[in-house]
């Protein structure tokens, strides 16, 4: 479990180096402890592995004042555990359900037990600024557009593949944008085959 905690801590520290999230921002975490332990998702939930993950991931985020949302599994329609303060800050609707390892997953259960004033919310309304997916549990629906992959040196936590993403505001216009058909055609000339 110590190796899981250390890998999680290294991953989140590297994430925050690459994408320094500020106070009040929202980080989404999804994870399968079964995958971390080398099993198929949902087949071996482990509160021990969940606690190790949270022990590594949460302190660096919370020290920066980042709100953390922990996604439950598909049996709860990927509802999330957040602190009541985060639900209020982001206008999230509270729902009544309590996660447990077989419906919600071990990670959401451990987060619910660890958070000071936890509530479950149905959705983040695509407001998360960044996040991590440990074991392919699909957090993309919770991220703001536009999600950008972050390639971390930590590729796995335990046996689970680690994917990370940051977000950025949509590019509307900007240095590469063109505003007339003529400019567009001129730009296209760069890509047309040159005569021999």
């Amino acid at each position: 479990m110590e190796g899981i905690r250390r890998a999680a801590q290294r991953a989140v520290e590297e994430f925050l180096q690459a994408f320094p999230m500020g106070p009040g921002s929202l980080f989404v975490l999804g994870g399968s402890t079964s995958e971390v332990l080398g099993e198929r998702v949902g087949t071996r939930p482990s509160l021990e592995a969940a606690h190790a993950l949270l022990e590594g991931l949460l302190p660096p985020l919370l020290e920066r004042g980042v709100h953390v949302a922990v996604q439950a599994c598909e049996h709860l329609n990927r509802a999330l555990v957040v602190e009541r303060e985060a639900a209020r800050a982001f206008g999230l609707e509270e729902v009544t359900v309590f996660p447990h390892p077989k419906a919600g997953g071990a990670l959401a259960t451990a987060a619910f037990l660890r958070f000071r004033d936890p509530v479950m919310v149905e959705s983040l309304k695509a407001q998360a600024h960044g996040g991590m997916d440990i074991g392919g549990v699909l957090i993309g629906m919770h991220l703001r557009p536009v999600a950008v992959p972050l390639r971390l040196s930590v590729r796995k936590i335990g046996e689970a593949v680690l994917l990370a993403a940051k977000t950025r505001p949509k590019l509307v216009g900007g240095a590469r944008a063109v505003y007339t058909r003529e400019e567009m055609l001129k730009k296209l000339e760069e890509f047309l085959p040159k005569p021999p």
Side-chain angles (χ1 to χ4, degrees), residues 132-192:
M132 288 185 179
D133 178 330
I134 302 167
V137 295
L138 307 175
I139 63 166
M141 69 191 93
H142 302 301
L143 295 169
R144 291 179 175 205
V146 170
V148 178
L150 276 179
R151 304 287 184 224
L152 304 177
S153 65
V154 179
R155 300 286 185 159
K156 285 187 165 187
I157 296 181
E159 297 300 314
V161 172
L162 172 64
L163 300 172
K166 63 180 182 174
T167 61
R168 64 162 172 76
K170 294 177 183 179
L171 294 178
V172 179
R176 296 186 202 180
V178 295
Y179 299 99
T180 67
R181 184 176 180 83
E182 292 75 24
E183 288 177 300
M184 182 191 76
L185 293 172
K186 187 173 181 174
K187 292 285 185 188
L188 286 174
E189 286 175 6
E190 297 173 31
F191 298 96
L192 296 175

Side-chain angles (χ1 to χ4, degrees), residues 24-26 66-69 81-92 115-117 119 121 124 127:
S25 54
L26 183 59
V66 174
H67 297 291
V68 178
V81 182
V82 297
E83 293 283 6
R84 187 176 307 276
E85 173 187 339
R88 287 186 185 129
F90 288 90
L92 306 175
F115 284 8
R116 288 173 290 116
D117 189 13
V119 296
V121 297
L124 297 182
Q127 294 185 83

